[in-house]
Amino acid sequence: MVKKIPIGPYHPILEEPEFFELIVDGERVVDIEMTIGWSHRGIELLSEHKTWDQIPFLVERVCGICSASHPYAYVKAVEDLLGIEVPLRAQFIRVIVAELERLHSHLLWTGLAGHFIGYNTVFMWAWRYREPLLDVIEAVTGNRNHYATYRVGGVRRDLPAEEIPNILKLLEVIESKNSMLTKAILDDPVIHARTKGVGVLPRNKCREYGALGPTARAGHYDIDGRRDHPIDAYDKVNFNVIVCETGDVFDKAVVRQLENFESIKIIRQCLEQIKDTEPGDIWTEIHEVPPGEGHGMYEAPRGEVFHYVRSDGGNTPLRHKIRAPSFNNILTNEVSVPGNTVADAGLITAAVDPCYSCTERVGVVDSQSGSRSILTEADLIRLSQEKTERIRKRLARSRLGV
Amino acid sequence: MEREEAKKRIAERFGGNVQVAERSPRRVYVYAENDVWVDLASFIFNDLDGRFDTGAAVDDRDGVEVMFFMQFDRDNYTITIKTFAQKPNPALDSISNAIPGAKWIEREIFEMYEVDFRNHPDLRPILRADTRPEDFYPAKREIKEDHETPRGRDDGVARADEVAGKPLKGKNP
């Protein structure tokens, strides 16, 4: 019997509202329809009423997690219009803050994914180690999120020399704990059984749908703006772009876990090289923004953030277009969700790391009788965790030979 | 594909229907006639192996300028393709059938600017609340001029007439 299962617009493991309607045949999803726009805030139009220097404060509130990525892409767009370079010290500070953000974002996702499949220990660990990271970000920028660091022409705040040993010390801790988490994920047969082959997004579909970030790289679509369109100090550091083969949920987790090591590597190189720059030289003064247009991209934790600005020579933009990576990545669920079970659907939609909300409603609609029943948020998680438990028991029995 | 090679192939394929310009080594602009819009996007996506990134629009008084950004990741440059959808009824052929990733951004441009993307598989508003009127296109110049305060005014800063002691509109003197 074909049924429709609406998920959302509120969902327990995701930070912003989204609405998915699953069309299912028994346990199998045959199609998915998505509705976005539940918290459309009109930020692009708001931006047209802010001065060029005020806008970074606005756009870092597009997303609480990507509060470095949006201002980064915005200032690069304006600097593209202006055709200016920023001081080397500011370039390093920008990259350090952005990579610290990537670390905390990936750890946050790992924790949520662990919770969703019933591995609350992973959830506790990942969030436990994210916390000192946020402390360091606070020490460097003045805030745990919404860093107010980026400005057109440079950064607003210098990196205090006394913070560098603290950051290096923390990176050692994060590196060792990330190794432990990565090993736990890569070696766990239950996680393999639960996530491998689930929600596959092949390379050709990544390209057709414009998938970005870890969602694309998990499917062997080898794009990374930090390497392909290097901005600021990214061409002064060495790092690897992590690419997997199949594009399933497991690969998406692996990409994020391994990228944490690359972020640590990048931050260390920046901290080493920033010692050779002049303290205080963090800003190129901008007097006016001439008529013209520019666009800026930055490889955020979820994928490339894109900002386009157009100026008529005034003190505000004539047009400011923002494209967050989730806008492209959520659309890929059209490909990755059908063919999987209802218990996996939540996991697959979460695997692109979209911004979702903390509450959830799930309704089941019988397309033939028209009857509708609402499930609570606990029901969808329960479905997912029960499936993990079944797999765990099955693997345990097979090991015991019973 | 290298930038010069891409520019040459676009010029060869579309001739006088496009104008190719370059603002910097990383930014190439191709201005296209409406007739070749879909062919141009498909050609860059399929033949030149560009990556579809996203789109944007700007409302001019006479029409809507629509642009799509195609990235060339290996060679570090962007080709921005642009065309102009003439008012009063701006319309373009949809590129979503050639590039599925363009589906949502075309819906957004339709919703914000009332650009009718012909042959789009599912052209309906994507962001608006259910309660918003059907014919309300918030980014259209005419709508913005009717509903918004002048650009550049910061809400936290009093205007000259407020400073001069004149009553604010809507408030008791």
Side-chain angles (χ1 to χ4, degrees):
Chain A
M1 177 188 292
V2 176
K3 284 186 174 185
K4 290 184 180 180
I5 302 181
I7 301 176
Y10 302 100
H11 193 284
I13 64 164
L14 305 161
E15 296 90 3
E16 286 179 10
E18 220 75 72
F19 182 78
F20 300 103
E21 188 166 67
L22 305 180
I23 292 91
V24 299
D25 185 3
E27 271 294 295
R28 192 68 52 186
V29 180
V30 293
D31 201 1
I32 181 170
E33 288 189 16
M34 295 165 282
T35 310
I36 63 172
W38 297 90
S39 59
H40 185 238
R41 291 163 289 174
I43 284 181
E44 292 176 12
L45 295 184
L46 281 173
S47 174
E48 293 169 14
H49 294 261
K50 303 286 180 201
T51 64
W52 297 99
D53 195 41
Q54 290 173 324
I55 292 169
F57 298 107
L58 173 69
V59 296
E60 68 183 9
R61 283 157 177 79
V62 170
C63 172
I65 308 298
C66 296
S67 52
S69 305
H70 280 284
Y72 204 165
Y74 164 74
V75 299
K76 292 314 294 181
V78 182
E79 288 163 9
D80 178 42
L81 191 165
L82 292 163
I84 60 164
E85 284 287 319
V86 302
L88 192 56
R89 188 173 181 85
Q91 294 184 23
F92 286 123
I93 295 171
R94 284 178 172 186
V95 172
I96 289 167
V97 173
E99 291 302 323
L100 285 169
E101 176 182 270
R102 187 181 317 279
L103 278 170
H104 93 68
S105 175
H106 282 356
L107 283 172
L108 181 135
W109 181 84
T110 302
L112 291 174
H115 168 64
F116 200 51
I117 63 171
Y119 271 52
N120 282 324
T121 310
V122 171
F123 168 63
M124 297 292 181
W125 279 353
W127 283 41
R128 159 72 181 81
Y129 301 125
R130 178 173 172 263
E131 206 53 34
L133 196 55
L134 293 175
D135 290 341
V136 166
I137 294 174
E138 186 175 7
V140 172
T141 68
N143 210 357
R144 287 162 61 93
N145 289 106
H146 305 317
Y147 317 113
T149 293
Y150 299 82
R151 71 184 306 180
V152 178
V155 293
R156 291 180 198 278
R157 183 173 161 149
D158 203 357
L159 178 68
E162 61 269 22
E163 287 300 336
I164 293 178
N166 293 338
I167 301 173
L168 288 170
K169 201 170 154 189
L170 172 90
L171 290 180
E172 273 180 34
V173 175
I174 296 288
E175 190 172 32
S176 100
K177 300 304 179 188
N178 195 58
S179 295
M180 181 183 72
L181 268 176
T182 307
K183 195 167 183 305
I185 291 168
L186 296 184
D187 291 351
D188 192 310
V190 179
I191 291 180
H192 278 239
R194 184 71 181 80
T195 58
K196 277 197 165 180
V198 172
V200 173
L201 186 67
R203 186 188 182 283
N204 64 330
K205 293 297 177 187
C206 287
R207 181 170 143 67
E208 283 178 18
Y209 279 77
L212 297 163
T215 304
R217 291 191 287 277
H220 205 247
Y221 191 28
D222 186 6
I223 53 169
D224 188 325
R226 295 174 296 172
R227 176 200 61 197
D228 302 332
H229 303 273
I231 53 174
D232 292 340
Y234 276 109
D235 60 358
K236 299 173 184 66
V237 293
N238 297 314
F239 62 98
N240 297 315
V241 175
I242 308 298
V243 178
C244 287
E245 292 295 325
T246 56
D248 55 16
V249 174
F250 183 78
D251 282 352
K252 286 168 188 160
V254 169
V255 166
R256 291 189 177 94
Q257 280 305 122
L258 299 184
E259 277 186 1
N260 285 344
F261 294 110
E262 300 305 316
S263 291
I264 292 168
K265 201 192 288 181
I266 291 169
I267 297 168
R268 281 188 178 136
Q269 292 174 68
C270 288
L271 290 173
E272 185 57 36
Q273 295 182 59
I274 202 171
K275 290 174 185 167
D276 301 329
T277 59
E278 183 68 28
D281 182 20
I282 56 169
W283 184 46
T284 300
E285 192 162 349
I286 312 294
H287 292 287
E288 60 181 19
V289 180
E293 64 182 357
H295 64 264
M297 295 94 74
Y298 175 68
E299 187 72 19
R302 295 176 171 90
E304 178 203 87
V305 167
F306 183 96
H307 282 236
Y308 166 84
V309 293
R310 180 177 288 191
S311 166
D312 59 359
N315 65 343
T316 63
L318 181 71
R319 175 80 174 99
H320 182 187
K321 168 67 192 158
I322 302 169
R323 200 269 293 123
S326 292
F327 190 81
N328 285 24
N329 285 339
I330 290 172
L331 185 57
T332 65
N333 288 322
E334 277 190 4
V335 176
S336 53
V337 172
N340 291 276
T341 64
V342 177
D344 290 333
L347 182 63
I348 297 165
T349 56
V352 304
D353 194 11
C355 290
Y356 272 22
S357 167
C358 297
T359 54
E360 174 186 67
R361 291 177 305 164
V362 177
V364 180
V365 180
D366 186 329
S367 62
Q368 295 186 7
S369 69
S371 65
R372 184 186 185 94
S373 56
I374 303 293
L375 308 179
T376 67
E377 65 170 73
D379 290 318
L380 195 65
I381 289 190
R382 180 176 48 76
L383 277 173
S384 178
Q385 294 185 345
E386 281 176 359
K387 181 170 179 182
T388 307
E389 194 56 31
R390 283 199 302 274
I391 290 171
R392 185 184 282 136
K393 285 178 179 170
R394 178 165 52 78
L395 289 173
R397 278 200 299 270
S398 72
R399 272 202 300 273
L400 294 171
V402 293
Chain B
M1 175 173 292
E2 287 189 1
R3 192 176 79 254
E4 291 303 326
E5 173 69 12
K7 282 163 59 182
K8 189 177 147 205
R9 287 189 60 183
I10 290 169
E12 280 173 3
R13 171 80 166 73
F14 295 97
N17 288 318
V18 299
Q19 286 184 340
V20 182
E22 191 174 282
R23 188 166 57 80
S24 75
R26 307 274 175 249
R27 303 286 184 261
V28 176
Y29 294 85
V30 181
Y31 301 86
E33 300 287 342
N34 288 181
D35 302 345
V36 298
W37 176 242
V38 175
D39 287 345
L40 175 65
S42 304
F43 179 73
I44 294 176
F45 184 72
N46 294 318
D47 295 36
L48 306 188
D49 205 25
R51 170 170 65 85
F52 175 76
D53 197 327
T54 191
V58 179
D59 193 347
D60 197 350
R61 204 163 289 281
D62 302 324
V64 180
E65 182 183 325
V66 178
M67 64 194 91
F68 286 97
F69 303 93
M70 315 292 284
Q71 304 291 356
F72 288 78
D73 295 314
R74 287 289 169 268
D75 297 285
N76 185 12
Y77 69 98
T78 308
I79 293 182
T80 305
I81 59 174
K82 293 187 174 190
T83 195
F84 197 73
Q86 198 72 33
K87 287 181 181 177
N89 299 307
L92 289 173
D93 288 331
S94 167
I95 68 167
S96 296
N97 295 308
I99 308 172
K103 272 191 282 194
W104 279 10
I105 190 65
E106 286 190 339
R107 284 175 61 184
E108 184 182 321
I109 293 171
F110 159 68
E111 174 177 18
M112 294 291 165
Y113 295 92
E114 202 184 4
V115 177
D116 179 15
F117 286 97
R118 293 178 293 250
N119 303 320
H120 188 285
D122 182 21
L123 192 64
R124 58 192 162 92
I126 187 168
L127 298 172
R128 71 165 47 144
D130 294 343
T131 50
R132 187 185 291 172
E134 281 295 318
D135 57 350
F136 184 77
Y137 300 94
K140 278 176 76 172
R141 183 182 281 262
E142 299 82 357
I143 301 279
K144 282 165 76 173
E145 286 174 352
D146 284 350
H147 287 79
E148 291 187 339
T149 52
R151 224 162 45 82
R153 186 194 160 199
D154 188 327
D155 288 338
V157 179
R159 290 180 301 190
D161 57 350
E162 295 165 6
V163 175
K166 292 183 182 173
L168 288 172
K169 190 179 176 185
K171 287 189 176 179
N172 290 327

